[in-house]
Amino acid sequence: MRAVVISNDVVPEQGGLVAAPGLRAHGLAVGLRTHGIEVTTVVVADAVDRYRRAVGPVSEAADVEIVPGSKLLRFLKSNRPVVAIMINGHQADHLHAARGVRIVYDGFAPRMLELAFRGGTYPEAALTGLARLEGRAMRMADALIVNGARKVPYYLAALLQAGRDLRKVPTGVVEMAVPAEVAPDHPVGDPPLVALTGYRQDWNPPGPWVEVATEHLGTHFRALVVEGRHWGAGRAEVESLRWRALLEHPAVEVRPPLPWNEFSAVWREVDLAVDLFEQTPERELAMVTRSIVALGHGVPVVHPPFSEVSPLIARAGAGWLVDPADLDAVAAFFTGLDSADIGAKRRGARDLAGALLNPTAAVEPLVEIMREW
């Protein structure tokens, strides 16, 4: 059995920086290979060109091909029979039904909601264009996989709007998988070292909780910040005075975005991760990659109680659920950090990483669909 994972961003194998879409493609490819499936990752050439302009070169990698969008269908046909996993509908205009090519739509992120909550003027024209593209993707999909159970109704509604018979579209939940080595256990720091990581996003600006956290820096915790602006984003900076004050605090070490191997090593240094954000409909459906990456390395996370990740943390005891709008609760969390509690939550995070977030386990629903074909 042969599969092609179509990535809309550079992947870790190419040796550079990596973001959520590239990690998703990487996790799917790694997981499918452990089930004996021959996998090629195709990175769309436009994504590589964008990365090269903004960041620098990428390396050649085994089982990774760079293909222009206009030549995707030709590539798939040359590898028939093949299953193509299309991450969201970015490449729908370049694909259509073809003999010997099965297309799996990966509902990775609710793009319509991301676009709608970017702030500023309501992007009506852009939403219309995106709806057309996603509708086309739904009409050609032979199967649907979804990054988290909470988003299943969102994507089933999209299938219905595209005129599909839900009974004829196999559907499975494939959680975000992180091919990572769990960080070894180590004594909790005094005070604990907290990680804040990821790329700034227009739909997820820092909230007032940042000011509360900054008040307790140095006394109750130290922070390691590894963050920046994604190379595919526009020029506008998602930054605020409150975020700048945190970055400039003497108890904070700031590092730029790192290649995956180096970034993966960061989790050996820290005791826990903080990933708090304001509540929106988009955030409620988000399988937040920042938190999943930390948990996949066995590092516990403080997270809001309303996202797709929240029940995973709660069931596994892999962190703390704190409402970022409740500033008293935020303050109580930071002032109450306790090494024994952190150790217990670390054990929960390690269990979660092994049971659910590893690629072999995560892709099993996709493998079952493929084997039916």
Side-chain angles (χ1 to χ4, degrees), residues 121-319:
T121 304
Y122 188 70
E124 184 175 357
L127 283 167
T128 299
L130 181 56
R132 180 201 63 78
L133 191 66
E134 292 291 323
R136 178 168 183 168
M138 289 295 175
R139 285 189 290 275
M140 73 177 69
D142 294 292
L144 167 70
I145 59 173
V146 183
N147 180 26
R150 192 177 290 186
K151 286 188 286 295
V152 171
Y154 174 94
Y155 285 106
L156 292 182
L159 281 172
L160 287 170
Q161 289 175 327
R164 300 300 302 276
D165 183 344
L166 300 185
R167 297 167 297 182
K168 297 179 179 179
V169 184
T171 300
V173 173
V174 176
E175 308 282 7
M176 182 75 177
V178 181
E181 184 177 330
V182 172
D185 210 357
H186 63 268
V188 175
D190 183 18
L193 180 60
V194 168
L196 297 100
T197 67
Y199 295 101
R200 295 191 290 272
Q201 299 166 320
D202 293 321
W203 58 88
N204 184 25
W209 68 268
V210 175
E211 293 175 310
V212 177
T214 303
E215 291 174 9
H216 300 288
L217 265 166
T219 305
H220 294 99
F221 72 101
R222 299 167 294 130
L224 172 59
V225 178
V226 184
E227 59 93 47
R229 184 80 178 169
H230 187 271
W231 46 91
R235 289 180 173 272
E237 288 291 332
V238 179
E239 194 170 312
S240 65
L241 292 175
R242 60 171 65 104
W243 186 245
R244 196 173 305 156
L246 182 144
L247 296 179
E248 293 173 353
H249 194 284
V252 173
E253 178 187 352
V254 179
R255 299 180 195 173
L258 300 168
W260 176 249
N261 287 344
E262 295 178 39
F263 182 63
S264 201
V266 164
W267 301 105
R268 297 170 175 266
E269 304 176 40
V270 302
D271 298 309
L272 67 150
V274 172
D275 189 11
L276 294 175
F277 41 82
E278 296 178 341
Q279 186 170 7
T280 68
E282 183 277 329
R283 291 285 88 184
E284 290 173 4
L285 294 188
M287 181 66 79
V288 187
T289 304
R290 284 186 298 271
S291 285
I292 292 295
V293 167
L295 294 166
H297 286 86
V299 174
V301 180
V302 56
H303 191 87
F306 49 74
S307 89
E308 181 97 71
V309 182
S310 309
L312 302 182
I313 292 173
R315 286 196 297 267

